[in-house]
Amino acid sequence: MRQGNTIWNPERECAGREEMRRWQGQQLTAMIERMYNHVPFYKKKLREKGIEPGDIRSVDQLELLPFTTKEDLRDNYPFALFTVPQSDVVRIHASSGTTGKPTVVGYTRKDIETWAEVVARSLAMAGIHRGDTIQVAYGYGPFTGGLGLHYGAEKIGATVIPTSSGNTRKQLQFMTDFNATVLACTPSYAAHLGESIRKEGIDPETVKLRAGVFGAEPWSDEMRRQIEKLFNIRAYDIYGLSEVIGPGVSMECECQCGNHIFEDHFIPEIIDPDTLEVLPDGAIGELVFTTVSKEAMPLLRYRTRDLTRLCREKCDCGRTLVRMEKCLGRTDDMLIIRGVNVFPSQIESVLMDMSETSPHYQLIIRRENNLDTLEVRVEISEQNWSDSIRELETIRRCIMQNIKSMLGISATIKLVEPNSIQRSEGKAQRIIDYRQ
Ligand SMILES: [Zn+2]
């Protein structure tokens, strides 16, 4: 085991496989009983499968259970999936979908404690501890990012600056004046803040950040390297989704070889999104979670639509928790262009692999004469913008060839001026699809 970073909860994070499975099984049995007795939706679904409380005794039986989808959450809007009376719910979060009703999630007092615990474990994984000052630039509100990080950061005893998202100038002022050592926000906003340091004429020496905890949108390893360079920090991936709990479902340790899933609370499976069959470890498929410890709104085999794979090999950090690879993307984000499956993260990794581009880009998809076209707009870095037309043309051709060799489809590449693509303070809007 490596020395250095503290493991927040070694009993759980380093548990033996059999011990973990026993714990998961007990929790699962209790969760099925709660669902069956208090939520008509689940009772009906379980009965359709011929399952009664007490039938499920082990995680091996997960496969027998029905799935839950985002549509199920919408159909039961707002509170029909709660297993506790309203008086036991101390917090409600909601994620605004692009279409339809928002997805509502309730928390009991114990759920809030669980959430703080998994975020505390996450921060400890990135070597963050009491004495650190964490600037939480995730949005505070119904979105789970801000308050999720906040409670976990307080739990480890760090100093929290709850800036919420937006107001870049003030963010930078607080960052330097209050000696923030950790930044937590979306990767796209981190990239924007990093670039703004120089633009606002701030001496990079006055920025004391040493780590970043970034998530809420898929980002590539190449994007990570850009952000690390901008701030001279180590950037860690935190993963979560509001339906499951919020940030803190899984987190990267200092080895940065996948995110450890807090599987004592969130049992993962990987399924084939078409056949719904469970896939073996190592196979890429849709990530599914069963949230065994949640009180207010536990979820049974919730389909996240995120695509990744699981790895149970021993990690050098000493934790035994299963790891998930950085998400390839969401099944919802997957673009089908001329019949080819394209994830924005694949294009991002091509762009970020080049030193001449900035971390800001947009993908524009159109249909012209029944043929899909892909246009990639990417900002050129300040240093390269003054290059000659011939040099810019070389960069453009290089991007075009790399995209063609990665995806097998041609794209039109448009190099645009620095700062011409609109900046996002939360999740970046990277895809404009005119086909819908
Ligand atoms: Zn590890």
Side-chain angles (χ1 to χ4, degrees):
M1 188 183 127
R2 283 195 191 181
Q3 292 300 309
N5 291 359
T6 313
I7 296 178
W8 183 260
N9 188 337
E11 201 188 319
R12 291 290 176 77
E13 293 178 76
C14 306
R17 180 79 359 223
E18 267 322 297
E19 192 189 336
M20 177 61 78
R21 285 168 47 80
R22 212 166 32 241
W23 166 260
Q24 289 172 331
Q26 285 165 7
Q27 297 279 96
L28 181 64
T29 307
M31 182 192 82
I32 298 288
E33 196 172 313
R34 289 202 305 278
M35 286 176 155
Y36 189 95
N37 293 329
H38 300 289
V39 184
F41 167 83
Y42 282 123
K43 184 173 186 169
K44 184 166 170 279
K45 275 199 152 192
L46 288 165
R47 280 196 152 168
E48 277 166 9
K49 294 257 179 187
I51 295 162
E52 296 287 325
D55 289 350
I56 302 298
R57 305 232 149 258
S58 142
V59 278
D60 292 334
Q61 293 167 292
L62 260 182
E63 280 190 53
L64 306 172
L65 299 167
F67 290 102
T68 311
T69 63
K70 190 149 192 149
E71 286 67 45
D72 293 330
L73 265 59
R74 292 213 176 100
D75 292 346
N76 287 283
Y77 178 88
F79 304 143
L81 291 183
F82 286 12
T83 54
V84 298
Q86 178 87 43
S87 54
D88 287 347
V89 175
V90 299
R91 176 107 59 86
I92 291 167
H93 278 279
S95 72
S96 54
T98 38
T99 50
K101 290 173 190 157
T103 313
V104 176
V105 188
Y107 301 75
T108 63
R109 194 167 295 282
K110 182 169 160 266
D111 291 333
I112 296 288
E113 279 166 22
T114 302
W115 195 9
E117 155 82 15
V118 290
V119 174
R121 291 184 195 177
S122 303
L123 295 174
M125 255 189 218
I128 300 160
H129 44 67
R130 186 192 164 107
D132 271 309
T133 298
I134 307 184
Q135 182 160 348
V136 180
Y138 276 116
Y140 279 65
F143 171 63
T144 49
L147 286 165
L149 262 294
H150 187 109
Y151 277 61
E154 283 191 350
K155 192 172 173 79
I156 62 166
T159 308
V160 183
I161 316 173
T163 49
S164 193
S165 58
N167 202 342
T168 299
R169 193 164 286 178
K170 181 140 276 171
Q171 298 276 2
L172 295 175
Q173 188 195 344
F174 284 0
M175 189 184 285
T176 49
D177 291 355
F178 300 169
N179 295 323
T181 55
V182 179
L183 173 66
C185 60
T186 58
S188 52
Y189 193 48
H192 175 54
L193 282 171
E195 290 172 333
S196 303
I197 292 174
R198 283 154 191 84
K199 221 180 302 155
E200 296 285 333
I202 295 166
D203 175 5
E205 289 292 307
T206 61
V207 178
K208 304 290 181 214
L209 293 183
R210 61 182 185 81
V213 177
F214 306 124
E217 61 187 14
W219 52 309
S220 60
D221 272 326
E222 290 75 13
M223 176 75 132
R224 183 214 302 276
R225 284 196 287 276
Q226 289 244 358
I227 296 173
E228 289 186 330
K229 215 165 76 188
L230 279 168
F231 286 108
N232 192 23
I233 58 171
R234 276 194 87 181
Y236 294 89
D237 186 30
I238 189 165
Y239 169 88
L241 59 171
S242 65
E243 301 94 305
V244 171
I245 203 158
V249 174
S250 73
M251 174 77 187
E252 257 177 356
C253 66
E254 76 262 40
C255 304
Q256 294 191 318
C257 51
N259 290 31
H260 287 286
I261 298 172
F262 300 114
E263 57 180 314
D264 50 332
H265 296 289
F266 321 113
I267 305 176
E269 295 170 277
I270 296 288
I271 62 161
D272 178 318
D274 299 319
T275 65
L276 306 182
E277 206 183 314
V278 176
L279 300 177
D281 289 345
I284 290 185
E286 182 179 348
L287 183 60
V288 169
F289 281 112
T290 298
T291 65
V292 280
S293 63
K294 286 268 294 288
E295 283 188 341
M297 204 184 108
L299 291 176
L300 190 53
R301 304 189 83 196
Y302 182 68
R303 296 184 56 185
T304 64
R305 308 187 208 192
D306 282 329
L307 295 170
T308 183
R309 63 176 136 203
L310 299 179
C311 167
R312 287 183 208 273
E313 269 168 41
K314 203 170 174 303
C315 184
D316 285 345
C317 74
R319 292 174 183 85
T320 53
L321 297 169
V322 62
R323 279 169 288 155
M324 57 183 263
E325 205 170 70
K326 217 169 202 324
C327 282
L328 185 61
R330 296 211 146 179
T331 50
D332 322 22
D333 292 341
M334 189 179 80
L335 299 162
I336 302 177
I337 300 172
R338 272 169 265 154
V340 177
N341 297 348
V342 175
F343 286 98
S345 59
Q346 293 175 298
I347 297 175
E348 180 181 294
S349 64
V350 169
L351 299 176
M352 297 306 108
D353 217 15
M354 301 182 59
S355 58
E356 298 89 349
T357 56
S358 86
H360 305 282
Y361 65 93
Q362 265 178 342
L363 311 179
I364 295 133
I365 304 109
R366 293 190 178 85
R367 182 161 291 154
E368 288 160 5
N369 304 326
N370 291 319
L371 192 68
D372 299 331
T373 62
L374 169 64
E375 178 186 316
V376 179
R377 274 185 208 163
V378 59
E379 278 184 20
I380 285 295
S381 67
E382 300 266 5
Q383 303 93 286
N384 292 85
W385 185 241
S386 52
D387 285 358
S388 71
I389 289 179
R390 184 189 301 199
E391 279 162 302
L392 290 176
E393 180 56 19
T394 310
I395 297 169
R396 198 186 67 80
R397 280 179 177 277
C398 180
I399 296 173
M400 199 165 71
Q401 275 156 10
N402 290 348
I403 287 180
K404 171 103 190 179
S405 69
M406 171 170 266
L407 303 172
I409 57 168
S410 314
T412 313
I413 313 299
K414 225 176 222 173
L415 303 181
V416 298
E417 251 180 273
N419 306 309
S420 58
I421 291 175
Q422 203 191 342
R423 299 299 189 253
S424 156
E425 290 164 352
K427 300 187 193 197
Q429 210 218 339
R430 294 217 160 100
I431 302 161
I432 305 169
D433 195 340
Y434 288 111
R435 295 176 302 179
Q436 287 136 7

